Every structure is written in C-alpha cells, then in structure tokens.
C-alpha cells in the first residue's frame, strides 16, 4: 500500500480538528456554558478536560512508533538491526518484559524507571537485559521486570529520527501481564510496527489483538514486517524465500486482516538476523528508509491514526454525555411521575377539603340566620320604650348585625382551619378572618319612623286628608299601614292612637330593613 492510500479520513486535518475541539476557543464556548448550566460544574469540567486532552493529542509533537508482535517474533533483533547496535536482549525465549523507549539525544545514556525512582544504567546489552529480561539462564521467570515500568535509552546517532520515539514492547501471548503491557504500549502509538514470525503467520491471538487495536486507532496505524527466519542467513536463501514464500505469506495475512479493507495491509519482508549480520542486505536499508519517512506528525498515515483516535475519543465522550442525559431524563421522568401522583393526591384532598368547607359554611350560615334575623327584636323593644326619629333604630340594628357577622366570620374561619388540618392542608392566613368579616358586615341601614298628624271629628275634609296622607306614607311604611293611618286620620284619632300607629309603622320598617340586611349577608355564603 502506498502512502497516498492510507486512510486519512476526509479533508479535516489534525490541526483543524484540534482547533475546533479546543475548549478555550470560541467554537465551543457557548456549548460548554450550556453544559455547565444543564449538567453542573463537575460534569462541565470533565467534558472540558476530555476535549483538552483530545485536542492536545492531535497536536502532540513528535511521533511514537511501537514495535509489537508475538513473543519471540524478533522485535528486539529488528530494532538492533535498524539501529546498527546490539543493545536490546534477544533470544528464542520470551525476552522483553519491560517497554524500552529509544530516542535520539545529544549523548548516549540509559535509565530504568520504577514507580518511585529512576535508576541510571550503563548503555550495554547486559545492563538493559538485567532490567527487562523475563527469563534467567535456567528458564525461570525473573521478578525484576515486574518492578520496572520502562527503560529509557538515548542515542547520539541518526536513528531514530529527531522527534521520533521507538518503543520495543513485550510480546503478547506469554503472560497476561506482558500482554497488558504490550496493549498499553500499542495504545500510545502513532504507528504500530507489527513484527510477524515467518514460521507462524498471524496466530489467532495476534488477529484478535490487532482487531481490537484497529477498532480504536484505525487500519492506517498498523504496518506489518514479516521477520523471515532463514535456515541459513545467505543471499541465496533470502532470494529463494522471496521467490517462493512472499506471495503465499502475504495472501495468508490478507485473509487474516479483513479490517484492512480491499487494499489489504501494508506488508514488508525482512530478515532481521541476517540483516544485522550483513549490513546492507536482506531488505534492512529499505525498512530503515521507510521508518525515516514516517518521522513526521504531518505524514498522512500518522494524521489518519490521530484523527481515528480523536473520533473514538469523541464517540466515547458523546456516549458518556448521552448517558448523563439518559440518567437525567430518567430522573426527570421519575420526578414527573411522582409529581403526578402527588398532584392527584393533592387534588383528592383539595376536593375533600372543598366538600368539608361547603358543609361547614352552609351549617354556620344556617345557624346564624335566625340569630341575625333576631337582631330586629332589640329595635322593636327600643321603639316600644321611646319613639325616636334620629336614626337610632338603624344604629341598633346595624350594631347587632355587625356582631353577628363577626361571630359568623370567626366560626367560618375556625371551621376552615379544622378542615384544613383534617385534610393535611395549610390553614387560613392571619388576615382571612378580617376579610370574611368585612365581606359579611352590613352596609348602611335606614329605618323610617312616620310622624302622624292628629285630626278630630269625622268629615269629608278629614277623609280627604287621611286618604292623601295614606298615599303619601305608603311608599315608606307600606301600603296597608299607610291606608290605615289615612283612614284613622280621616275619621279622626286621638294622640295615643296616632303614636301607636307610628310605632307599628316603625317596627314594620325595622323588620323590612333587617330582612334585607340578613338576605344580603346570607348571599355571601358561596363567596
């Protein structure tokens, strides 16, 4: 596969995508503010950190190339060959148990990094082997590699290229720990050089490992190097293998890498052991040149890998946010259902409270009707005692009705409070009784008291005056009483009889005024 055939994934490059994902930039300012409002500061900070990490990874300087493969596939030998130096331990047994990071520097150096310190090393194969070799001379697994996290090697040479880090990772399918370390190393790769043992072309374990890696990093992130193990490290054996085996091995690898698409994987052949022994042959220089060409973060293959990883990270972020939204939506649905239940309960209690209140108010108004109607009695008694024409009787009647209104209001409010407690509602406010009292208090009341003139003797003139007087006072005290007074006058009556007639008329007027006021008071029952 040529470089132009690598999967770059559209016209958007890493730099443009990094700018778009920069949480401090204008593109996402409003969206992040919305996240803070909707999801809170903690989730906002998580999204912001996620975007910042993804954006930074797209613009990360330098290139990381990880050499991976089945244990004893020849990874360390291949790197020694490419470096032209015998630094990394290699054997037929699983050898590398610790990732070895190799970078260019101003001078040679090495160090072992543990959880709590960095230990300087001699830059020799023996010193590095002491830190990374899994198996001792007796074939027993060593404990030292379990404590070392990585070995850092700095070389003052032309390889790796400036800004490029090569990582020799542990082989897979040895132990679970080594496979996990290999997976961690591959996870940070811009390019994974998968070294294939020509004697065992892509085992099922390798196929599964690569499929998982490609799902995150994309097919462009993997480049295959078939390390050819020759029976004799000669040009003749190499040419024979190239003629007879290149095609079948490549076909076998295409069948095992269906994720590579129709174009198939990019495959290179090399005999690491032979190339190390005889510099300049066995495809060693060609692979070295290829790796040199892949030393820039702007290379299409490297860009495609980073874009693919960013896409996966963003997919994870979207699923996480969708999960948050789902949780919030479920919580909102639960709250909505709870509110509906609560609303139903409150509505039931409200209707029950209304029924109780109507019953209590109706009962109170019924009780106080007769009491209010009896307010006319003191007026009648006052009229019997002294006949006055100064509005006194109206004041007596109104004072009595106001007292009834206040007692009725107090009873209504007390009944409302009791009903509210029974139905688990809040009771009336402190100002309710005053409002109810004001509503029930009667307005102005007028009671007319007639003043009948006395005439003696029965005559036609007296009858005419009596009829006229009866028609005059009828609108005030009633037609029947007015006519009676007129008749009395017309026929002539004594002073006592005239006073008695005025008292009866005043009592009748008081009764009418009381009935009118009580009716107005009782009309407020629904209110």
């Amino acid at each position: 596969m040529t470089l132009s055939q690598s999967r770059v994934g559209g016209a958007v490059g890493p730099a443009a995508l990094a700018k778009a994902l920069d949480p401090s930039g204008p593109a996402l300012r409003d969206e992040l503010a919305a996240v803070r409002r909707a999801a809170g500061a903690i989730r906002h900070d998580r999204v912001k950190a996620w975007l910042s990490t993804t954006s930074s990874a797209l613009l990360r300087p330098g290139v990381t190339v990880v050499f991976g493969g089945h244990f004893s596939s020849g990874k360390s030998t291949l790197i020694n060959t490419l470096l032209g130096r015998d630094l990394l331990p290699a054997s037929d047994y699983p050898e590398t148990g610790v990732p070895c990071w190799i970078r260019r520097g101003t001078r040679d150096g090495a160090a072992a990094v543990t959880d709590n310190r960095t230990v300087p090393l001699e830059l020799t194969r023996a010193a590095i082997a002491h830190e990374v070799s899994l198996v001792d001379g007796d074939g027993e697994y060593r404990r030292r590699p379990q404590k070392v996290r990585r070995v850092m090697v700095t070389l003052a040479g032309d390889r790796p290229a400036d800004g490029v880090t090569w990582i020799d990772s542990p082989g897979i399918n040895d132990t679970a720990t080594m496979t996990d370390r290999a997976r961690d190393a591959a996870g940070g790769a811009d390019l994974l050089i998968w070294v294939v043992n020509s004697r065992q072309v892509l085992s099922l374990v390798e196929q599964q490992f690569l499929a998982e890696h490609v799902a995150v990093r994309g097919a462009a992130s993997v480049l295959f190097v078939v390390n050819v193990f020759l029976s004799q490290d000669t040009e003749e054996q190499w040419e024979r293998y190239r003629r007879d085996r290149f095609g079948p091995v490549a076909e076998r690898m295409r069948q095992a890498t269906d994720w590579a698409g129709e174009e198939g994987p990019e495959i290179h052949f090399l005999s690491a052991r032979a190339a190390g022994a005889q510099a300049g042959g066995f495809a060693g220089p060609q692979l070295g040149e290829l790796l040199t060409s892949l030393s820039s973060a702007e290379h299409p293959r490297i860009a495609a890998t980073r874009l693919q990883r960013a896409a996966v990270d963003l997919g994870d972020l979207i699923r996480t946010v969708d999960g948050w939204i789902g949780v919030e939506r479920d919580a909102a649905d639960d709250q909505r259902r709870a509110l509906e239940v609560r609303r139903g309960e409150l509505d039931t209690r409200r209707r029950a409270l209304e029924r109780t209140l109507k019953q209590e108010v109706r009962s109170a108004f019924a009780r106080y009707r007769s009491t209010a109607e009896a307010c006319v009695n003191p007026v009648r008694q006052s009229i019997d005692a002294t006949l006055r024409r100064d509005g006194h009787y109206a004041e007596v009647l109104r004072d009595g009705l106001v007292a009834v209104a206040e007692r009725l209001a107090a009873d209504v409010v007390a009944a409302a409070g009791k009903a509210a407690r029974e139905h688990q509602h809040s009771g009336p406010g402190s100002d309710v009784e005053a409002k109810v009292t004001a509503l029930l208090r009667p307005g102005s009341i007028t009671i007319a008291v007639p003043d009948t003139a006395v005439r003696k003797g029965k005559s036609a003139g007296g009858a005419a005056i009596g009829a006229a007087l009866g028609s005059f006072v009828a609108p005030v005290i009633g037609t029947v009483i007015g006519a009676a007074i007129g008749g009395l006058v017309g026929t002539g009556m004594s002073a006592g009889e005239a006073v008695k007639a005025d008292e009866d008329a005043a009592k009748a007027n008081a009764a009418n005024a009381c009935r009118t006021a009580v009716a107005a008071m009782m009309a407020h029952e629904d209110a």
Side-chain angles (χ1 to χ4, degrees), residues 457-477:
K458 185 175 182 180
S459 65
I465 293 173
L469 182 59
S471 64
F472 174 76
V473 300
V476 179
I477 63 175

Side-chain angles (χ1 to χ4, degrees), residues 391-445:
H392 170 72
Y393 306 131
E395 291 179 4
V396 171
L397 178 58
R398 191 174 189 284
D399 289 344
L401 291 174
V402 167
V404 172
E406 291 175 348
R407 294 200 303 273
L408 175 57
D411 280 5
V412 166
V413 172
K418 178 182 178 182
R421 289 191 295 274
E422 290 177 354
H423 298 284
Q424 299 177 357
H425 273 270
S426 58
S430 58
D431 61 337
V432 171
E433 185 171 338
K435 291 181 179 179
V436 175
T437 302
L439 184 67
L440 297 177
R441 184 178 289 115
S444 63
I445 296 176

Side-chain angles (χ1 to χ4, degrees), residues 246-328:
F246 272 25
V249 170
E251 180 60 26
R252 167 73 179 87
M253 293 180 65
R254 278 190 290 269
Q255 293 175 359
T257 55
D258 55 354
W259 42 261
E262 295 181 359
E263 298 171 351
E266 181 172 353
I267 305 170
H268 297 270
F269 290 81
L270 170 142
S271 179
R273 186 179 62 196
Q278 303 178 40
F282 304 94
Q286 291 86 341
L287 183 60
E289 292 174 2
L290 174 63
L291 291 180
T292 300
S293 71
L294 294 169
S295 60
S296 171
E298 298 177 357
H299 190 281
R301 182 186 287 276
I302 307 302
T305 299
R306 293 187 177 184
L307 288 171
Q308 173 67 21
R309 179 56 184 268
V312 171
D313 287 344
L314 289 174
D316 291 342
L317 175 58
I318 290 171
R319 283 187 291 274
T320 298
V321 173
D322 285 345
W324 294 344
I325 293 172
V327 170
E328 295 298 332

